[in-house]
């Protein structure tokens, strides 16, 4: 079992930055690939970014490529999402997720564990 707790969300103006954190506990964190997803009101949960268990393999949604960066600190059992040049359309609840396995995946169905989410609101 893996427990995930997100933090770092908040209200920011368009063009601003936020860094989300996801602290993991439980089973060996380094054995899991990690992902960030988001869900806006009335929309389905969508993939944002993912990172493999070594930290060298990453993937991003086209909508955030070049603006968001995912990273992980294995010593701290934490994964981060640095979000720059934020836009109002980035407003959503952001979820951290973990899946057993080395490689990134884009579908939320392939993730085994989920955090409670953190709200990100970008004002125009």
């Amino acid at each position: 079992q893996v427990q995930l707790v997100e933090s770092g969300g908040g209200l920011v103006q368009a063009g601003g930055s936020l860094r989300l954190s996801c602290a993991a506990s439980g089973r060996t964190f380094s054995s899991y690939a990690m992902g960030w997803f988001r869900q806006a009101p009335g929309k389905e949960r969508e993939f944002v970014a993912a990172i493999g268990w070594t930290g060298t393999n990453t993937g991003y949604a086209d909508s955030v490529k070049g603006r968001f960066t995912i990273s992980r600190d294995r010593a701290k059992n934490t994964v981060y999402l640095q979000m720059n040049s934020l836009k109002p359309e980035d407003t959503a609840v952001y979820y951290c997720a973990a899946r057993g396995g080395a490689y990134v995946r884009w579908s939320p169905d392939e993730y085994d564990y989920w955090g409670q989410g953190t709200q990100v609101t970008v004002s125009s």
Side-chain angles (χ1 to χ4, degrees):
Q1 194 78 0
V2 174
Q3 293 79 43
L4 303 173
V5 179
E6 303 98 334
S7 61
L11 174 64
V12 64
Q13 289 188 332
S17 298
L18 283 174
R19 189 177 80 157
L20 305 183
S21 300
C22 173
S25 61
R27 300 187 68 179
T28 308
F29 174 68
S30 59
S31 299
Y32 288 80
M34 304 295 294
W36 285 98
F37 293 78
R38 65 187 182 187
Q39 188 167 18
K43 295 188 176 181
E44 293 188 353
R45 191 167 297 189
E46 66 173 2
F47 170 78
V48 176
I51 188 166
W53 64 6
T54 65
T56 57
N57 177 229
T58 59
Y60 296 92
D62 287 343
S63 59
V64 307
K65 204 171 290 184
R67 299 188 298 124
F68 291 11
T69 302
I70 189 171
S71 61
R72 68 190 297 166
D73 186 329
R74 295 157 68 94
K76 295 182 178 180
N77 286 355
T78 301
V79 63
Y80 303 98
L81 185 67
Q82 178 66 45
M83 305 186 296
N84 298 328
S85 302
L86 282 161
K87 305 175 181 180
E89 50 264 44
D90 294 319
T91 295
V93 177
Y94 282 71
Y95 296 91
C96 173
R99 64 176 299 274
Y103 303 109
V104 303
R105 292 291 186 268
W106 285 261
S107 170
D109 294 339
E110 300 206 54
Y111 286 77
D112 305 305
Y113 303 101
W114 291 84
Q116 295 296 314
T118 185
Q119 176 71 46
V120 172
T121 303
V122 184
S123 63
S124 57

